[in-house]
């Protein structure tokens, strides 16, 4: 199965599908459009690889802010083929105004909203990943 064929099996946004298992980790693919929520994973890093589109990762990591941005908050923009690891304990918010397809690598059982998060809107699926149909 290719990543593109896996992505073609579902339309739901912010609702990852598990495409493989590596030791105690899930390899997940997700379609993203709009904003997720600010959240963090206390005990694990989170790996992002953009397959298609563009993904913005808002980070509250204490780094110098972008001009005009809130102190300690910045945005990393990922284009197709780009990878980024959000370190454990860093509050982050994925966002994609035009939409993106993303591969995620996380320990099995990791919730999409992390261990601490803001209120979850209806468009965000709180899950540990779904099996491919």
């Amino acid at each position: 199965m290719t990543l593109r064929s896996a992505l073609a099996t579902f339309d739901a946004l912010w609702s990852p599908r598990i495409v493989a298992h590596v030791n105690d980790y899930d390899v997940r693919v997700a379609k993203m459009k709009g904003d997720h929520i600010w959240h963090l994973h206390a005990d694990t890093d989170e790996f992002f690889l953009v397959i298609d589109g563009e993904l913005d990762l808002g980070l509250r990591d204490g780094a110098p802010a972008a001009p005009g941005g809130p102190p300690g908050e910045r945005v990393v923009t990922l284009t197709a083929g780009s990878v980024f690891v959000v370190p454990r304990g860093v509050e982050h918010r994925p966002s994609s105004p035009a939409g993106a397809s993303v591969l995620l690598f996380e320990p099995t059982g990791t919730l999409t909203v992390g261990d601490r998060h803001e209120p979850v809107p209806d468009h965000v699926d709180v899950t540990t990943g779904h099996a491919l149909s």
Side-chain angles (χ1 to χ4, degrees):
M1 172 177 291
T2 68
L3 294 178
R4 292 193 195 290
S5 64
L7 285 159
T9 66
F10 66 99
D11 292 320
L13 299 173
W14 304 111
S15 184
R17 301 304 192 262
I18 300 168
V19 297
H21 299 280
V22 179
N23 297 318
D24 297 329
Y25 284 77
D26 292 339
V27 180
R28 304 174 185 179
V29 291
K31 295 179 180 180
M32 303 176 176
K33 187 171 185 180
D35 295 327
H36 197 267
I37 59 171
W38 285 103
H39 67 285
L40 66 79
H41 304 276
D43 298 318
T44 186
D45 301 338
E46 188 171 15
F47 173 90
F48 291 84
L49 178 140
V50 176
I51 300 166
D52 289 310
E54 189 171 282
L55 180 70
D56 294 328
L57 287 172
L59 301 168
R60 291 179 176 158
D61 60 0
E73 190 174 302
R74 64 186 174 113
V75 175
V76 174
T77 299
L78 306 175
T79 57
S82 298
V83 299
F84 189 84
V85 175
V86 176
R88 68 190 73 203
V90 171
E91 195 173 14
H92 59 286
R93 182 185 70 178
S95 177
S96 182
S101 298
V102 177
L103 181 137
L104 303 157
F105 192 70
E106 305 178 283
T108 299
T110 301
L111 281 171
T112 55
V113 296
D115 305 307
R116 194 174 73 225
H117 54 80
E118 64 185 10
V120 180
D122 291 339
H123 75 276
V124 172
D125 185 13
V126 177
T127 181
T128 57
H130 298 282
L132 279 176
S133 331

